[in-house]
């Protein structure tokens, strides 16, 4: 009997047991390669955000600028993110996902190098805006490319992959930032991005499919009017919310004016998009007619409040009530990040098998329950109890982000995925800005006149109760998410390589969730 030629890839090998291509729980290897490739670049964005947040004090001293000016290093970055997020969908259709990802990585690398060379606060703020503009394109594009490549299969697992960088950021960012500032100066906070960007670009050129658009099918023109309404509207809204802390509150003209202007611009965009004929809006707000998109965006907005609002409270609590320094507070928050990281695999698996609805209900309820202990702790509460609560809270937060993110794509056509990615990203980021603003106002009033650790702990307890209540509101809304997914019978797996027509996954245009993630 002839021995099989193992050097011939086209000859069957009876000893090899390849995974069943019809297995509905199997993720294509090409999707895993793409996921690792995108995560490397995304880590530069996430780490940079959390690293810089611990360096404000050093920047005020080295740059000779007041804290009110240096705060724009973070605020300017965030505003730039909101300006460019709506462009990601059009730019992908115009240039192709791989070219856009590499270009955005290059822009982030350039912004990092220039930030390290900044000579004063205004120059650093300007270069941080460049970084934010690149990051605003990268984060929704990452979700779009992976969901399209997966072809609607195992969306929970795909969402677990996408959210890995956001789980690693809170773990590694503050600790890495503290170590860098201990061993070197603040310029290395930006130079550390270079290897991530360089390796990420190299991997992208090798592993991402060449999905450049067909020259014979030009992309729709950019909705410039819609962009001029939505991007500045979101940015002005975030700016107004950022002004709440340290002001007289919502009644202050410095807060009311930008909020009113931002709401008017966003409202104008929505009205125009709903009445515009022929499509082509910079973000398709008509996707909100899908219950999955509307409920997911709402939950991600509330999840952003729970995540970012408490992330502002927790380090301040450890520093002001427990007397920890920045590095010590960062180390104490590691259990929450570890919990969020460990939740990725479990939450993704159970979202695919049980449905987003059940996972989200349990996750948001657990987030609220594990926030309650911080409302009643005192300056002398044991650290082990707090660390255990943070770990459980991290597990819940990880699942609370994955379930609604995956549910947003159920039932959508492939061409609608970029818009869904932008909607969910904007909802989560706006929720974070609202959460920080609301919790900051509550904390400011609750701790006014508090000078002892116990008095401060009481004030923080009030703020944590507000955070708990805002999270609890999301629990009944989780019931609007799609139920258990049902695999399509005999569905073929997505192709490993992109076809010549520019699609990323080789699947025909059709509902992503029809069959692969259908509601039953």
């Amino acid at each position: 009997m002839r021995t099989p030629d193992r050097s011939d890839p086209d000859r069957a090998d009876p000893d090899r047991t390849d995974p069943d291509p019809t297995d509905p729980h199997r993720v294509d290897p090409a999707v895993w390669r793409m996921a690792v490739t995108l995560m490397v670049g995304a880590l530069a964005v996430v780490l940079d955000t959390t690293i810089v947040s611990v360096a404000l004090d050093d920047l005020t001293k080295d740059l000779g600028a007041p804290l009110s000016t240096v705060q724009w290093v973070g605020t300017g970055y965030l505003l730039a993110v909101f300006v460019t997020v709506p462009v990601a969908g059009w730019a992908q259709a115009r240039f192709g996902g791989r070219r856009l990802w590499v270009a955005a990585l290059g822009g982030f690398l350039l912004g990092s190098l220039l930030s390290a060379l900044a000579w004063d606060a205004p120059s650093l703020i300007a270069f941080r805006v460049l970084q934010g503009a690149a990051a605003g394109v990268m984060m929704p594009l990452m979700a779009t490319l992976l969901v399209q490549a997966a072809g609607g299969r195992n969306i929970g697992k795909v969402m677990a992959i996408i959210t890995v960088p956001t789980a690693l950021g809170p773990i590694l960012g503050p600790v890495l930032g503290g170590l860098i500032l201990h061993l070197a100066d603040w310029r290395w906070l930006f130079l550390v991005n270079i290897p991530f960007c360089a390796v990420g670009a190299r991997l992208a050129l090798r592993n991402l499919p060449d999905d450049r658009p067909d020259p014979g099918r030009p992309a729709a023109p950019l909705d410039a009017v819609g962009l001029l309404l939505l991007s500045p509207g979101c940015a002005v809204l975030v700016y107004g919310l950022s002004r709440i802390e340290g002001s007289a509150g919502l009644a202050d003209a410095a807060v009311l004016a930008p909020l009113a202007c931002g709401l008017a611009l966003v409202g104008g965009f929505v009205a125009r998009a709903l009445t515009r004929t022929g499509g082509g809006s910079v973000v398709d707000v008509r996707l909100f007619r899908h219950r999955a998109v509307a409920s997911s965006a709402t939950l991600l907005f509330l999840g952003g409040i729970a995540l970012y609002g408490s992330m502002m409270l927790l380090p301040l609590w450890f520093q002001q009530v427990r007397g920890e320094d920045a590095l010590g507070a960062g180390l104490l928050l590691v259990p929450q990040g570890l919990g969020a990281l460990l939740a990725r695999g479990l939450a993704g698996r159970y979202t695919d098998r049980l449905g987003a609805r059940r996972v989200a209900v349990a996750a948001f309820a657990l987030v609220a329950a594990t926030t309650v202990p911080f409302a009643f702790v005192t300056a002398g509460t044991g650290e082990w109890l707090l660390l255990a609560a943070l770990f459980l809270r991290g597990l819940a937060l990880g699942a609370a982000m994955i379930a609604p993110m995956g549910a947003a794509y159920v039932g959508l056509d492939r061409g609608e995925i970029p818009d869904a990615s932008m909607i969910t990203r904007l909802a989560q980021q706006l929720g974070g800005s609202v959460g920080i603003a609301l919790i900051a106002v509550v904390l400011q009033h609750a701790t006014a006149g508090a000078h002892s650790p116990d008095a401060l702990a009481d004030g923080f307890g009030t703020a944590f109760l507000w955070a708990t209540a805002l999270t609890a509101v999301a629990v009944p809304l989780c019931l609007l998410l799609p139920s258990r997914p049902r695999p399509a019978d005999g569905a073929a797996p997505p192709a490993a390589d992109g076809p010549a027509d520019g699609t990323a996954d080789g699947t025909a245009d059709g509902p992503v969730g029809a069959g692969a993630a259908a509601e039953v």
Side-chain angles (χ1 to χ4, degrees):
M1 183 177 66
R2 181 182 177 185
T3 303
D5 183 4
R6 298 180 188 274
S7 65
D8 185 356
D10 297 325
R11 190 177 299 279
D13 183 356
D15 298 328
R16 186 177 64 192
T17 57
D18 291 332
D20 183 3
T22 63
D23 181 4
H25 299 298
R26 174 180 177 266
V27 178
D28 193 271
V31 178
W32 287 117
R33 288 194 297 272
M34 179 182 290
V36 173
T37 297
L38 296 173
M39 278 193 295
V40 172
L43 277 174
V45 175
V46 176
L47 287 177
D48 188 80
T49 303
T50 53
I51 285 176
V52 174
S53 64
V54 303
L56 294 181
D57 186 58
D58 291 72
L59 291 173
T60 57
K61 296 175 182 176
D62 290 355
L63 297 177
L67 182 60
S68 58
T69 299
V70 173
Q71 283 179 335
W72 277 93
V73 172
T75 303
Y77 177 93
L78 184 61
L79 296 182
V81 167
F82 277 96
V83 168
T84 55
V85 164
V87 185
W90 171 84
Q92 181 189 4
R94 175 67 177 83
F95 302 107
R98 184 174 75 172
R99 289 197 291 177
L100 179 60
W101 181 261
V102 173
L105 265 179
F108 195 85
L109 174 60
L110 177 61
S112 299
L113 289 171
L114 292 175
S115 295
L117 298 174
W119 53 91
D120 57 14
S123 64
L124 178 58
I125 293 169
F127 300 144
R128 285 281 288 167
V129 167
L130 175 59
Q131 280 187 307
V137 172
M138 290 173 64
M139 300 315 289
L141 180 61
M142 177 183 181
T144 296
L145 291 176
L146 278 177
V147 173
Q148 288 179 336
R153 292 173 172 269
N154 300 296
I155 294 298
K157 292 181 180 178
V158 173
M159 290 302 108
I161 298 168
I162 292 171
T163 52
V164 164
T166 57
L168 288 175
I171 301 173
L172 300 179
V175 177
L176 183 59
L179 289 174
I180 290 175
L181 293 176
H182 180 72
L183 299 173
D185 67 11
W186 59 267
R187 298 181 188 276
W188 285 94
L189 299 174
F190 303 103
L191 294 175
V192 76
N193 297 327
I194 294 176
F196 289 103
C197 294
V199 174
R202 177 69 183 89
L203 290 175
L205 292 172
R206 187 178 69 181
N207 295 334
L208 298 187
D210 186 5
D211 59 348
R212 68 186 66 189
D214 185 356
R217 298 170 58 188
L222 177 64
D223 178 18
V225 175
L227 184 63
L228 291 175
L229 289 172
L230 180 61
S231 291
C234 289
V236 173
L237 273 176
V238 174
Y239 171 73
L241 291 169
S242 69
R243 299 281 293 175
I244 291 178
E245 186 177 5
S247 69
L250 289 172
D252 195 324
V255 175
L256 277 178
L259 286 180
C261 180
L263 288 173
L265 290 172
V266 173
F269 166 78
V270 172
R272 181 178 182 274
L274 291 175
T275 57
R276 190 181 186 192
T277 58
S281 178
V282 65
V283 175
D284 186 6
V285 297
R286 298 187 186 189
L287 286 181
F288 278 99
R289 71 181 184 273
H290 292 285
R291 193 184 74 185
V293 174
S295 58
S296 297
T298 303
L299 286 173
L300 286 169
F301 178 83
L302 294 172
I305 292 176
L307 175 63
Y308 293 102
S310 61
M311 282 303 294
M312 180 202 71
L313 277 178
L314 287 168
L316 287 175
W317 186 86
F318 279 117
Q319 289 175 291
Q320 296 184 13
V321 178
R322 310 284 292 201
E324 300 287 345
D325 58 13
L327 180 58
L331 290 171
L332 288 169
L333 290 174
V334 166
Q336 179 170 268
L338 288 174
L341 183 62
L342 292 176
R344 264 53 189 171
L346 291 173
R349 186 181 309 121
Y350 283 107
T351 296
D352 288 331
R353 294 184 178 180
L354 302 178
R357 182 188 302 169
R358 295 181 182 179
V359 174
V361 168
F364 275 96
L366 186 56
V367 172
T370 51
T371 306
V372 171
F374 290 92
F376 299 99
V377 294
T378 65
T381 303
E383 286 186 356
W384 286 109
L385 175 62
L386 301 178
L387 296 180
L390 283 173
F391 178 76
L392 292 175
R393 194 173 188 278
L395 285 172
L397 277 172
M401 291 294 104
I402 289 172
M405 283 183 69
Y409 300 99
V410 172
L412 300 186
D413 292 336
R414 185 181 184 278
E416 294 173 322
I417 292 175
D419 291 282
S421 296
M422 290 184 289
I423 288 172
T424 53
R425 175 60 56 178
L426 287 171
Q428 185 178 4
Q429 294 294 331
L430 281 172
S433 300
V434 171
I436 291 174
L438 287 177
I439 298 301
V441 170
V442 172
L443 183 64
Q444 184 177 3
H445 287 282
T447 57
H451 301 293
S452 67
D454 288 337
L456 281 173
D458 289 341
F460 272 91
T462 301
F464 277 116
L465 284 177
W466 273 81
T468 302
L470 291 170
T471 305
V473 170
V475 176
L477 295 176
C478 295
L479 299 176
L480 298 176
L481 290 174
S483 184
R484 182 173 61 86
R486 179 179 60 205
D489 295 333
D497 298 313
D501 66 357
T503 59
D505 58 359
T507 59
D509 289 344
V512 170
E519 182 180 349
V520 291

